[in-house]
Each structure stands twice: as C-alpha cells, then as structure tokens.
Amino acid sequence: MKSDLYELTAKPSMTQRPRRLRRTETLRLLVRETGLSASTFVYPVFVDQRITKPEEVPSMPGIFRLSLSSLAGEVSEIEALKIPSVMVFGLPDRKDALGSGAYANDGVVQQAVRVIKKAAPQLVIATDVCLCEYTDHGHCGVVRGGVVANDETLKLLARTAVSHAEAGADIVCPSAMMDGQVRAIRTALDEHGHIDTSILAYSAKHASSFYGPFREAAESAPLFGDRRGYQMDPANRREALREIALDISEGADIVMVKPALSYLDVIAEARKRITVPLAAYSVSGEYAMIKAAGERGWLNEKSVALEVLTAIKRAGADIIITYFAKEAARWLQEAN
Ligand code: PBG
C-alpha cells in the first residue's frame, strides 16, 4: 500500500507553492523568521597597557589592540552604533606565575572599565575573567606539577571578578573552564556586596583551534601543552549541556556556547532546554576566515558575515559576541 507521503512526493500538490511568499522583498520580509539587530551584539575590545596608540592585529584585519588613551573614543563610536555592550580583554604590562595582573586594582581591565564607564555610561560592560593573558606560562590558571590546579585557581578568578565589579563592570564572564568557577565567583561577589553584578558564564567552551588569532591578539597562547585538560572536547554535545546546566545551578545569569559557527547544534539543543539568555561567541578564527576569503575575493565578506550571524541567531542565540559587531551594525543601518 502506498502512503500519503509517497503520493505527495510522487505527485506534488500544486496548491502548495512556497514560492508565492518569495515573490517580492516585502513579502519575504513579512515571513522572515529570524531578524538580526545590533541590539543583540557584544563587541570584544582588547586593551593593551603597554601601548600609546592602537595597533592592528595581523590575523584580524579591522581589529585593534587599543591603548587606554584611545578607549574613550572607541567606546563612544560603539555606543553611537547602538551596540549595547562590550567585552573587555586586557594585555597587562607584566606577567607572572599567579597572573597577579588579572586582579590588581590598577590592572589593565580595571582601568579600562573605569574609562569606559565615564566615556559611555549607558554601555553594558562585560569583562573576561581568566588568567591566561596574565600568567607567564599562558595557562588559564595556576600550574602545579604541570597541570592547572582547579581549586587554587578558583580563588584567583573570584578575586579577579570582584576587582572588575569594583571597577564598575556590569557583567563578569568566567572563561577559564575551572569546575565550580561560577559558584566561587557568585559567592565572592555577594560577600563583597556586588549582588547586582551579573555572570555570563563561558559554560560550553570547547578546546578549539578557532582561537588562534585571539591568542595572537591577546598574547595568551600556552607556553607548553594545550588547554584540553580544562576546555571541552569539540566532539561532545551532551557534556556541553551538562556544563550549561551546572553553571545555571551555580548562579549563571547568562550562559554561552563557544565557538558558534561549528557548534550550531549545541546552541540549538541548549536553546530548547534552558530559559536563561543564551550567548554564542563567534570567535576570532571565524572572523579571520571570512576576512581572509573576502580579501581574496573568494567570498563576499558582507553577505557571508550577515548570513553567519543570522544562522547563529536562528540556531537560538539571544546574544552574539562578534568581531563583526561594528561593521554589521553599519550594514544593518544601510539596509534600513
Ligand atoms: C580566554 C579566552 C579565549 C577566548 C576568549 N577568552 C582564548 C582561549 O581560551 O584560548 C577566545 C576568543 C576568540 O578566539 O575570539 N581564556
């Protein structure tokens, strides 16, 4: 016996013509399922304590390490583009085994946060909470006997988060992938009276080769070994969901999947299971690929970038952290 489905496939009914709704741009707009807006973007900024004027990152065309003195101008521009938030990364003037620059009161991120608060008071300031830019070995925590010591690192991450909150950060973003980091940070923030400082947890952060250009930008590549002992195996989706659930139970206000483009299935699955806002980090390698192909004329940079951002949104991300934020905000303004 032939099924209905067989009949339908064999003889498509011509009462169903999906092309009817694709005839004009206005019709397409009317039935579009996913909208893209600058209001969902977070723009990462690299602030370098050692420089006096911006320096372009070679593997990330259009992205600059900023000096503290150039930061005010930059964030005013970001605010004018109606991008609601920046994520601050710091390059300190000194590194040591314990990453003390990460939690120094006059550390680069702490200074940067104060500058941003003054120059663009409405901007939501998110800060990356990790030690890798501040340790002389480049790992995300304290190294003991060749491995990153989880519980000892928690204290330093908590101290870092508190110092960011004290400087005026609205959201702290633990990215070290230490077990219990969200709980340790929530507890420390509350103890210091920062009950309104939010936590955006890098919950499902995979040990990805797409971070290469970032490590050049932030000078944070590990001197020995790699990060697979703490970051997640790119092959694991169920584990990503477990990490996300754990972080929510520890007090994360927003959770993240990272990278984005190669992990759309993780984003989609997470979206189905959680009610807190979900962020996706479209990382440095994703940006570099599109830029490089665009420069060669192999891809149309603008339409590919907008397509990728739309796909990340369609998969279920509420917030997109992207190096394209400024350009995409301009492209979206032109389109309207
Ligand atoms: C810090 C951190 C990294 C990124 C964000 N925070 C690097 C890493 O884990 O090696 C990567 C961001 C990007 O590639 O754009 N731990």
Side-chain angles (χ1 to χ4, degrees):
M1 227 190 68
K2 287 172 185 164
S3 69
D4 288 356
L5 190 62
Y6 175 87
E7 289 293 337
L8 199 60
T9 338
K11 271 192 287 160
S13 156
M14 292 305 268
T15 57
Q16 291 289 327
R17 288 179 181 268
R19 284 186 56 185
R20 283 184 191 129
L21 298 178
R22 297 181 199 141
R23 261 189 327 112
T24 68
E25 183 52 25
T26 336
L27 268 170
R28 291 192 289 271
L29 191 63
L30 187 68
V31 297
R32 186 159 298 150
E33 298 175 30
T34 310
L36 195 61
S37 150
S39 67
T40 58
F41 296 157
V42 177
Y43 187 61
V45 293
F46 298 101
V47 187
D48 190 333
Q49 203 167 9
R50 304 158 303 176
I51 61 177
T52 51
K53 50 178 190 299
E55 288 178 11
E56 194 165 20
V57 180
S59 55
M60 302 177 75
I63 300 297
F64 293 80
R65 285 192 199 136
L66 304 168
S67 61
L68 280 161
S69 58
S70 57
L71 193 54
E74 177 73 18
V75 293
S76 305
E77 194 186 326
I78 293 164
E79 201 174 36
L81 287 166
K82 300 206 162 41
I83 295 165
S85 177
V86 289
M87 168 104 81
V88 186
F89 294 92
L91 285 91
D93 57 6
R94 66 194 145 87
K95 297 185 190 232
D96 57 39
L98 296 179
S100 62
Y103 39 90
N105 286 335
D106 62 344
V108 57
V109 168
Q110 291 78 358
Q111 290 191 54
V113 168
R114 291 189 195 103
V115 172
I116 298 170
K117 258 284 170 274
K118 212 163 155 207
Q122 303 304 320
L123 212 57
V124 174
I125 307 177
T127 56
D128 186 78
V129 176
C130 194
L131 300 185
C132 65
E133 294 105 316
Y134 306 89
T135 51
D136 47 15
H137 47 68
H139 277 289
C140 301
V142 183
V143 174
R144 299 287 176 212
V147 294
V148 175
N150 194 91
D151 297 9
E152 195 178 341
T153 302
L154 293 182
K155 297 188 184 74
L156 302 183
L157 294 173
R159 227 171 125 181
T160 306
V162 169
S163 74
H164 290 179
E166 248 142 45
D170 301 292
I171 307 181
V172 291
C173 314
S175 71
M177 286 303 278
M178 295 300 123
D179 293 337
Q181 62 182 5
V182 173
R183 184 186 307 272
I185 288 172
R186 185 71 269 159
T187 305
L189 286 172
D190 291 352
E191 275 170 14
H192 287 81
H194 299 294
I195 54 166
D196 286 330
T197 307
S198 306
I199 300 178
L200 188 174
Y202 284 69
S203 306
K205 178 176 180 180
H206 296 82
S208 169
S209 296
F210 284 102
Y211 306 153
F214 172 96
R215 291 181 190 169
E216 183 182 35
E219 292 176 6
S220 66
L223 273 191
F224 63 90
D226 53 46
R227 302 209 202 287
R228 287 181 294 177
Y230 40 104
Q231 297 183 350
M232 276 189 50
D233 188 332
N236 294 358
R237 179 170 54 189
R238 289 195 308 265
E239 189 189 352
L241 299 171
R242 179 168 175 237
E243 284 279 12
I244 289 168
L246 269 173
D247 281 356
I248 294 172
S249 73
E250 290 181 25
D253 300 285
I254 305 173
V255 291
M256 186 206 287
V257 172
K258 179 186 173 190
L261 187 53
S262 311
Y263 297 80
L264 295 180
D265 58 325
V266 182
I267 296 173
E269 193 65 36
R271 174 69 295 155
K272 277 194 246 160
R273 294 175 188 231
I274 65 174
T275 54
V276 299
L278 177 63
Y281 197 143
S282 184
V283 300
S284 57
E286 298 175 41
Y287 177 82
M289 285 196 298
I290 297 174
K291 281 282 169 188
E295 271 177 15
R296 291 192 175 201
W298 289 1
L299 286 177
N300 179 324
E301 180 196 331
K302 172 179 163 180
S303 58
V304 168
L306 290 174
E307 185 176 330
V308 167
L309 293 170
T310 304
I312 295 168
K313 191 85 192 293
R314 190 196 61 227
D318 303 298
I319 297 168
I320 308 177
I321 300 144
T322 170
Y323 301 96
F324 278 112
K326 279 167 54 179
E327 279 166 298
R330 283 194 200 98
W331 293 331
L332 293 169
Q333 276 174 9
E334 282 163 21
N336 291 327

